[in-house]
Amino acid sequence: MSSLLRNFEDVNLDSKEPLEEPQRQYYFMAKCREWVKRKEKELNRPLTFSVVTFGCQMNAKDSEKLAGILEKIGYVPVEGEEADFVVYNTCTVRENANTRVYGRLGHLNNLKRKNPNMMIALCGCMMQEDAVVDKIRKSYRFVDMIFGTHNIFKLAELIDTRLSSRTMIIDIWKDTKLIVEDLPSERKYRFKAGVNIMYGCNNFCSYCIVPYVRGRERSRNPEDIVKEVEELVADGVVEIMLLGQNVNSYGKNLEEPISFAALLARLEEIEGLKRIRFMTSHPKDLSDELIEVMKNSKKICRHLHLPVQSGSTEVLKKMNRNYTKESYLNLAEKIRTAMPDISLTTDIIVGFPGETEEDFLETLEVVEKVRYDSAYTFLYSKRSGTPAAVMENQVEEAVAKERFDRLLKTVQGIAGEMTGRMEGTEEEILVEEINSQDTSLLTGRLSNNSLVHFKGPEDLIGKLVKVKLSQCKGFYYFGELAEG
Ligand code: 5AD
Ligand code: SF4
């Protein structure tokens, strides 16, 4: 935790709120905390909160920041949605993400009827869309506050505003250049943590809504990142996941530009840090320098998530991806030659406008050539406001669905074979948790991101241990703790 935060208790609530961040938010956290204390006395019980996350790792990280602020204010975390403060941190990357949120809001309304102290906040990517905000304003009037992706750091201030107002608080920023450092964050695991290295995206892939809801690319200063990782390591973290929509373009727009590979090399130096992961890489920006740094690294995990989206150069062009089928295959080959044990994973979209059977067969061909350890496959979803939404020749749902099923079969067959290639070997894993389905087992993760279930004492959680990968079960292993 930063030195600034240790002084949080010293905030003087008799003075006016500071203008600069993060001091301004400490002021509001302290002010809300006073309110929570009074409320607790009145109700004779603690006030509880729950943050529900939809979508990607970026959102999961934002949720940890929201939880960090709520805990500072004095709310106590609970599972489920029966809480005094419920936040939905939403996703909008595909239409079904939005549908899920609307589906669950009715349930929240019922809970609020039973608990008049309940506050409901909606935030995240979906809230950056005007149509969504209009709909909530009109049809979901029980919601207390809506904010977006750029101002989650303001949660305490928004709560304070809500407490002195009777109406729904709506605070959505279209974009920002602001990066607020030194705010609290509540980690889900004590031994591993996500670390934002950049926000936003400049790529405007033609199907994707992310650049519209997450804004332009902004990189954090390398010094701030190194400091955060050092503090995490001092607090028991051994594995970090560097987060960004396109980590390969990290640092390009900083006053003193620095490459992603150079940032990795700096993080490698941090004593006590054992594993470094990152996500997501855009194939068009993946440099030889990065491959070299990864190859020589003892800490960077043997896993690269390299979304291909389609195997057809024609489709890739319409997607605005800036690489071809051939250049992608060459890149994958180069990575495999440098690091034969690496695991490659990907994202694929099926049914992009204009995709023909021939285009789709090229996607299958790429999957067969690259041999991914796993692939996230998606049916194309039309996002209004993106260029692809108004393209001609939208693919019929039944055709897309049939292709999707064929793709899934191919992907799963290859993934099973790829995962199995380490059967019988002894490997290091980071032990993460008690297996949720069979509590007599622990679950750990290999450097290449595969999961291993094995018998062992609970106090191994958070430690790196060697296991023998006795049996591959398709997408995971059963292992045995190695001697010594
Ligand atoms: N439809 C389907 N999948 C999408 N993705 C992004 N936008 C869409 C869309 N409109 C997928 C991409 C991306 C992943 C996070 O989500 O494959 O890599
Ligand atoms: Fe979306 Fe493309 Fe940016 Fe990824 S790189 S977030 S797919 S626009």
Side-chain angles (χ1 to χ4, degrees):
M1 199 176 287
S2 75
S3 49
L4 272 167
L5 262 170
R6 274 193 283 272
N7 294 332
F8 166 61
E9 268 76 15
D10 302 338
V11 172
N12 179 4
L13 288 176
D14 295 328
S15 65
K16 232 180 127 41
E17 63 265 22
L19 290 175
E20 70 276 24
E21 300 294 2
Q23 288 77 1
R24 185 177 172 84
Q25 294 315 311
Y26 298 152
Y27 175 91
F28 284 109
M29 281 183 242
K31 194 169 170 203
C32 289
R33 189 176 175 145
E34 292 304 310
W35 177 83
V36 166
K37 274 188 202 157
R38 284 199 300 279
K39 204 74 194 161
E40 278 177 355
K41 268 212 187 106
E42 183 189 316
L43 300 172
N44 199 22
R45 63 169 179 86
L47 291 191
T48 57
F49 81 91
S50 174
V51 181
V52 181
T53 312
F54 298 81
C56 68
Q57 307 226 17
M58 208 67 109
N59 261 17
K61 175 71 199 181
D62 284 349
S63 290
E64 291 187 353
K65 295 179 185 173
L66 294 164
I69 295 171
L70 290 167
E71 287 205 24
K72 277 277 153 204
I73 292 176
Y75 282 98
V76 180
V78 285
E79 295 287 320
E81 286 147 280
E82 283 186 41
D84 298 300
F85 197 101
V86 175
V87 191
Y88 274 7
N89 188 7
T90 64
C91 169
T92 185
V93 75
R94 285 168 291 275
E95 182 64 32
N96 57 7
N98 292 34
T99 319
R100 276 179 64 206
V101 168
Y102 289 129
R104 283 172 71 161
L105 276 175
H107 173 58
L108 279 193
N109 191 19
N110 290 337
L111 291 177
K112 193 170 178 176
R113 285 209 188 102
K114 283 190 230 147
N115 176 6
N117 293 298
M118 186 175 178
M119 274 200 256
I120 298 172
L122 304 179
C123 68
C125 296
M126 208 175 137
M127 303 304 134
Q128 294 291 137
E129 293 179 89
D130 295 341
V132 170
V133 175
D134 279 349
K135 183 163 168 169
I136 290 168
R137 202 200 317 245
K138 286 196 194 106
S139 313
Y140 299 85
R141 301 172 64 94
F142 55 90
V143 170
D144 294 281
M145 62 182 85
I146 309 179
F147 52 103
T149 55
H150 301 300
N151 54 349
I152 59 165
F153 71 92
K154 267 184 77 179
L155 177 61
E157 185 171 348
L158 294 172
I159 295 176
D160 180 65
T161 314
R162 175 67 182 123
L163 290 176
S164 55
S165 128
R166 296 200 151 264
T167 54
M168 187 190 291
I169 306 296
I170 301 176
D171 190 6
I172 317 277
W173 300 1
K174 280 290 156 232
D175 202 350
T176 185
K177 289 196 165 68
L178 195 66
I179 296 179
V180 181
E181 298 286 349
D182 290 318
L183 282 168
S185 180
E186 198 52 48
R187 292 201 305 278
K188 192 166 167 216
Y189 296 92
R190 65 189 155 78
F191 52 86
K192 65 172 189 174
V195 176
N196 294 111
I197 62 166
M198 61 198 301
Y199 303 93
C201 181
N202 285 355
N203 290 309
F204 289 95
C205 300
S206 63
Y207 51 81
C208 186
I209 202 163
V210 168
Y212 305 89
V213 296
R214 287 256 169 199
R216 295 294 65 70
E217 217 169 87
R218 294 153 337 261
S219 293
R220 283 176 75 196
N221 284 319
E223 294 74 27
D224 289 329
I225 297 169
V226 169
K227 185 171 136 246
E228 180 178 341
V229 175
E230 282 172 348
E231 284 171 357
L232 287 168
V233 170
D235 199 32
V237 165
V238 290
E239 177 179 305
I240 53 162
M241 165 75 93
L242 305 175
L243 298 169
Q245 303 295 351
N246 176 15
V247 292
N248 301 106
S249 67
Y250 168 78
K252 286 186 180 156
N253 300 323
L254 284 172
E255 240 165 67
E256 284 177 51
I258 167 176
S259 68
F260 177 55
L263 174 73
L264 283 172
R266 280 209 208 170
L267 295 172
E268 175 100 17
E269 302 289 305
I270 296 175
E271 216 170 298
L273 179 64
K274 301 278 173 43
R275 281 181 166 185
I276 304 172
R277 300 184 183 277
F278 53 84
M279 183 165 262
T280 289
S281 287
H282 194 306
K284 79 178 165 63
D285 296 312
L286 198 140
S287 66
D288 289 350
E289 186 197 6
L290 175 64
I291 298 175
E292 200 54 30
V293 167
M294 276 186 90
K295 182 179 154 184
N296 297 323
S297 166
K298 296 214 162 34
K299 298 185 178 175
I300 302 173
C301 289
R302 286 295 187 254
H303 173 214
L304 202 52
H305 186 65
L306 199 60
V308 64
Q309 313 297 2
S310 167
S312 152
T313 297
E314 195 66 30
V315 173
L316 287 169
K317 202 164 168 198
K318 288 190 209 146
M319 286 179 162
N320 193 29
R321 290 289 290 176
N322 282 301
Y323 53 84
T324 62
K325 173 189 184 185
E326 288 70 31
S327 67
Y328 184 93
L329 286 173
N330 286 340
L331 177 63
E333 184 65 35
K334 196 156 57 169
I335 295 165
R336 280 224 193 276
T337 309
M339 294 165 281
D341 57 342
I342 201 157
S343 141
L344 291 175
T345 59
T346 202
D347 293 343
I348 302 170
I349 297 175
V350 176
F352 183 81
E355 182 190 74
T356 63
E357 175 66 16
E358 287 70 38
D359 292 322
F360 174 68
L361 290 177
E362 292 198 82
T363 300
L364 285 184
E365 188 193 330
V366 168
V367 169
E368 274 154 7
K369 284 199 166 135
V370 178
R371 299 184 61 76
Y372 296 104
D373 274 68
S374 77
Y376 296 97
T377 50
F378 305 107
L379 273 173
Y380 168 71
S381 168
K382 199 186 209 177
R383 307 314 287 127
S384 48
T386 63
V390 290
M391 282 182 188
E392 283 170 12
N393 303 322
Q394 300 277 331
V395 176
E396 248 176 72
E397 206 181 314
V399 174
K401 186 79 187 52
E402 188 275 330
R403 286 180 193 159
F404 182 89
D405 292 342
R406 258 190 291 160
L407 174 66
L408 201 61
K409 245 194 204 144
T410 310
V411 159
Q412 286 181 343
I414 294 171
E417 287 166 29
M418 289 304 283
T419 308
R421 72 194 186 281
M422 291 166 89
E423 197 174 71
T425 63
E426 205 175 281
E427 301 289 334
E428 191 174 62
I429 56 167
L430 174 60
V431 186
E432 294 192 342
E433 57 204 356
I434 296 173
N435 187 306
S436 52
Q437 269 151 43
D438 178 350
T439 50
S440 74
L441 297 174
L442 296 175
T443 296
R445 201 178 286 273
L446 292 167
S447 170
N448 79 4
N449 214 34
S450 294
L451 292 178
V452 184
H453 308 301
F454 68 106
K455 273 203 178 356
E458 216 179 303
D459 62 4
L460 290 183
I461 291 173
K463 300 207 171 96
L464 286 150
V465 297
K466 285 240 158 125
V467 288
K468 182 168 181 217
L469 306 178
S470 331
Q471 201 187 9
C472 175
K473 285 278 187 185
F475 305 107
Y476 58 89
Y477 289 99
F478 279 124
E480 287 156 65
L481 210 47
E483 300 292 317

